Amino acid sequence: MPPRPPHRPALLVIDMQAALVPIMHRPGPTVGAIAGLCSRARAAGVPVVTVSQRGGGPVVPELAPGEEASAVEKSTADAFLRTPLDTVLRDLGATELLVTGFATENCVETTARQALSRGYDLVLVADGHTTSVRPDTTDFAPPDQSIAHHNEIYRHIDFPDRSVRVLPAAAVDFSAP
């Protein structure tokens, strides 16, 4: 087996678009956690890749891509499907993806699993993803329960030859593999 390439993280910000904020559960704390990560990532020289849903409008101002950032537009829950995301990440030399965004059980989950399948190590940022608000009568899990459920799944997921971690934004160390 060839040696693993050097650790190189990249921060993914998925579907944090202004038009979607009204349907997000606890958008303020989620945007705040991601904005702090973006700032720390840029200061550490870690690339920030913004993924937006086609037709969803601009990214929330606090998370707008900087000049050095990459932006990818997608049309499905899978940010890799029919997009240049994998090429962008490979060109950046990324080996580990820190996944944040909206919606936990849809675009975040689908993209995180695809990242593992494509050979990336993964950090699911526990307080950096959110889901939609729910009507009172629904078969969906309540938002906080859905977020906690996905965090717990990723704490126990076993994926061959991949590192999978769940960390709160404050515990992310961009230099540590």
Side-chain angles (χ1 to χ4, degrees), residues 49 70 72 79-80 83-94 118 120:
V49 179
S70 299
V72 172
F80 288 96
T83 74
L85 180 59
D86 195 45
T87 301
V88 166
L89 294 168
R90 303 262 180 228
D91 288 349
L92 292 168
R118 291 170 185 266
Y120 296 97

Side-chain angles (χ1 to χ4, degrees), residues 29-97:
T30 305
V31 169
I34 298 171
L37 273 176
C38 287
S39 177
R40 290 176 39 224
R42 290 179 177 120
V46 171
V48 176
V49 179
T50 303
V51 178
S52 297
Q53 182 65 36
R54 183 175 299 136
V59 172
V60 296
E62 300 91 330
L63 304 177
E67 291 178 20
E68 81 298 342
S70 299
V72 172
E73 186 179 75
K74 66 180 184 61
S75 60
T76 70
D78 178 356
F80 288 96
L81 183 63
R82 294 191 290 265
T83 74
L85 180 59
D86 195 45
T87 301
V88 166
L89 294 168
R90 303 262 180 228
D91 288 349
L92 292 168
T95 61
E96 176 181 69
L97 303 185

Side-chain angles (χ1 to χ4, degrees), residues 16-174:
M16 292 302 291
Q17 294 163 265
L20 300 175
V21 168
I23 64 168
M24 287 182 193
H25 172 66
R26 60 176 182 80
T30 305
V31 169
I34 298 171
L37 273 176
C38 287
S39 177
R40 290 176 39 224
R42 290 179 177 120
V46 171
V48 176
V49 179
T50 303
V51 178
S52 297
Q53 182 65 36
R54 183 175 299 136
V59 172
V60 296
E62 300 91 330
L63 304 177
E67 291 178 20
E68 81 298 342
S70 299
V72 172
E73 186 179 75
K74 66 180 184 61
S75 60
T76 70
D78 178 356
F80 288 96
L81 183 63
R82 294 191 290 265
T83 74
L85 180 59
D86 195 45
T87 301
V88 166
L89 294 168
R90 303 262 180 228
D91 288 349
L92 292 168
T95 61
E96 176 181 69
L97 303 185
L98 292 93
V99 178
T100 67
F102 177 78
T104 297
E105 67 283 7
N106 197 0
C107 301
V108 171
E109 161 74 7
T110 303
T111 300
R113 296 242 183 190
Q114 285 299 318
L116 289 168
S117 291
R118 291 170 185 266
Y120 296 97
D121 290 330
L122 182 76
V123 174
L124 180 62
V125 180
D127 53 348
H129 63 96
T130 193
T131 190
S132 58
V133 294
R134 313 282 200 230
D136 289 337
T137 56
T138 182
D139 288 335
F140 281 111
D144 287 327
Q145 186 178 351
S146 180
I147 293 164
H149 173 80
H150 282 80
N151 286 342
E152 195 63 18
I153 286 172
Y154 279 87
R155 283 186 186 97
H156 299 282
I157 199 168
D158 184 23
F159 210 93
D161 302 320
R162 297 278 66 83
S163 168
V164 181
R165 298 178 293 154
V166 179
L167 299 172
V172 170
D173 178 354
F174 289 108

